[in-house]
Amino acid sequence: MQQTNMASTTTGYTADDLAAVVELAIRAPSMHNSQPWRFRLSGGAIEVRLDKARLPDIPARAWAGRVSCGAAVFNLRLALAVLGKPAVVLVQPHNDDPDVVAKLVPDQPRSASGAERTLYAAISRRHSNRAPFSTQSVPADLRFRLREAARSEGGWLDLIIGTSAVNALAEVVNAANRVLQRDKAYASELARWSREEIAQDGVSVRAAGYAPEPQDILPMRAFGARTRPPGRDYEPEPLVAVLGSAEDRDTDQVTAGLALERVLLTATDAGLAVSMFSQPIEVPAARERLRLALGRHGIPQMVLRVGYGHPGYPSLRRPAASVIDPPE
Ligand SMILES: Cc1cc2nc3c(=O)[nH]c(=O)nc-3n(C[C@H](O)[C@H](O)[C@H](O)COP(=O)(O)O)c2cc1C
């Protein structure tokens, strides 16, 4: 992301601009639907700040916060472009305040591209789908588009091909899940974000997918226990992908969030459903196993399951006004 001078023809963003685009930013995915972000105007630019109070104070949750905020920044950038007021994104612009994950500075006005409009239209249709997918396979051209989506934001997306490779990756995800399940703090964190009914944050039982069964290849995060109807097993050969970044500095985690959201919106536009598994990223030993298993340069940032599904259950958000702070 390059630095830019504010050109004389650009004007700063207004409170109305901010209110309009934050509505789209908060549709981004976030760990446990915790929505760990705050937005404000700062000298005509938009600042995105990590709201640490929304997640436990441990490294794996700082990671999750930065990825979630990065995804929100991607939506902000798109929404501003479609508004005709595009932005240049500066990631972690203040060395002395790393909680400012990004600043969006007005760029020269221009019309949004076709690709921007297409992805923008997918923002409100995207949601995590934790239900079983059909056995229909994802065609090669869509696989290519997903990989390109990650690459165009400075990330990478590796598709895991072949039964033994998928099983090996699933074993890493399951091992990480077992480690987390033995942790009492993790159990109380899940209880904090699990919702009986659809709410403004957290994950409802309906959105959570089915309670785990021994035959499942990948372990859904246990937000609630919805028993599955007979015959509704998960697909036996899921398309699994790992999204990653070149390194794992804080700035890489933010840009991984941008890459993640671009992949998710590209998938939504193509009619694909996606669910996420971050257990192996949260457990350092599992993340290292995953990195070694991929046999490539770079650091894994998320595991994705991609396929064709029935419409799932969107999760709600807190009102946009509640995450906007007064201007600096
Ligand atoms: C950093 C991060 C980690 C996540 N990890 C998981 C996960 O392990 N399991 C899961 O089911 N969903 C995971 N999600 C998806 C969130 O639970 C989801 O985005 C959130 O509940 C909002 O719902 P939505 O995606 O339907 O809008 C993760 C999302 C992010 C950004």
Side-chain angles (χ1 to χ4, degrees):
M1 306 272 170
Q2 83 274 27
Q3 188 104 22
T4 187
N5 295 322
M6 278 210 215
S8 54
T9 47
T10 59
T11 53
Y13 296 120
T14 65
D16 284 349
D17 294 335
L18 182 67
V21 295
V22 167
E23 285 288 351
L24 282 303
I26 62 177
R27 296 304 320 159
S30 62
M31 189 169 195
H32 312 327
N33 197 19
S34 57
Q35 306 161 44
W37 42 55
R38 303 206 62 83
F39 306 88
R40 72 170 173 190
L41 290 178
S42 168
I46 296 175
E47 249 181 30
V48 182
R49 178 176 282 275
L50 175 61
D51 186 352
K52 281 184 172 158
R54 304 283 297 171
L55 288 165
D57 186 15
I58 54 172
R61 296 303 174 271
W63 161 83
R66 283 187 282 270
V67 173
S68 306
C69 286
V73 168
F74 185 78
N75 285 4
L76 267 187
R77 199 183 80 200
L78 265 188
L80 288 166
V82 169
L83 202 62
K85 298 181 171 186
V88 172
V89 175
L90 310 178
V91 175
Q92 284 200 328
H94 308 308
N95 285 337
D96 56 344
D97 190 359
D99 290 347
V100 176
V101 294
K103 191 166 186 167
L104 289 93
V105 178
D107 199 1
Q108 294 289 343
R110 60 165 175 84
S111 314
S113 67
E116 283 168 332
R117 289 183 192 284
T118 301
L119 293 175
Y120 174 84
I123 291 177
S124 306
R125 287 187 279 122
R126 184 213 62 81
H127 58 81
S128 302
N129 189 332
R130 302 182 184 83
F133 298 159
S134 79
T135 52
Q136 186 185 345
S137 84
V138 177
D141 61 322
L142 293 188
R143 294 172 186 230
F144 178 78
R145 275 178 65 193
L146 297 177
R147 295 184 60 150
E148 281 304 300
R151 205 153 62 162
S152 62
E153 295 300 327
W156 48 263
L157 187 78
D158 275 7
L159 304 177
I160 311 304
I161 306 299
T163 309
S164 59
V166 170
N167 287 342
L169 179 136
E171 171 41 32
V172 178
V173 185
N174 279 292
N177 195 51
R178 287 193 294 272
V179 170
L180 291 171
Q181 282 178 328
R182 287 196 291 268
D183 181 346
K184 286 204 178 86
Y186 176 72
S188 59
E189 184 187 353
L190 276 194
R192 176 183 172 200
W193 293 111
S194 299
R195 304 275 182 266
E196 288 295 321
E197 303 292 336
I198 295 179
Q200 289 185 345
D201 59 11
V203 179
S204 69
V205 171
R206 267 156 64 105
Y210 296 126
E213 291 190 10
Q215 71 276 22
D216 294 348
I217 293 176
L218 290 164
M220 281 294 155
R221 179 105 60 193
F223 288 108
R226 192 155 59 105
T227 314
R228 75 188 71 176
R232 286 289 280 148
D233 264 347
Y234 285 91
E235 62 281 10
E237 288 181 29
L239 175 60
V240 182
V242 181
L243 177 120
S245 52
E247 295 182 56
D248 194 35
R249 297 161 302 187
D250 292 359
T251 49
D252 295 303
Q253 297 175 359
V254 177
T255 51
L258 276 92
L260 171 67
E261 182 66 342
R262 192 173 188 124
V263 169
L264 295 176
L265 294 179
T266 302
T268 303
D269 173 59
L272 292 167
V274 181
S275 60
M276 291 172 243
F277 299 82
S278 62
Q279 298 98 322
I281 313 299
E282 296 156 40
V283 177
R287 196 183 198 188
E288 181 59 7
R289 273 181 72 193
L290 187 56
R291 188 186 72 78
L292 292 172
L294 292 173
R296 55 131 53 240
H297 290 294
I299 308 293
Q301 301 284 357
M302 186 64 77
V303 174
L304 305 172
R305 177 183 67 115
V306 184
Y308 292 94
H310 296 292
Y313 298 97
S315 297
L316 299 184
R317 300 293 188 268
R318 295 175 290 159
S322 71
V323 292
I324 295 178
D325 290 322
E328 195 179 29

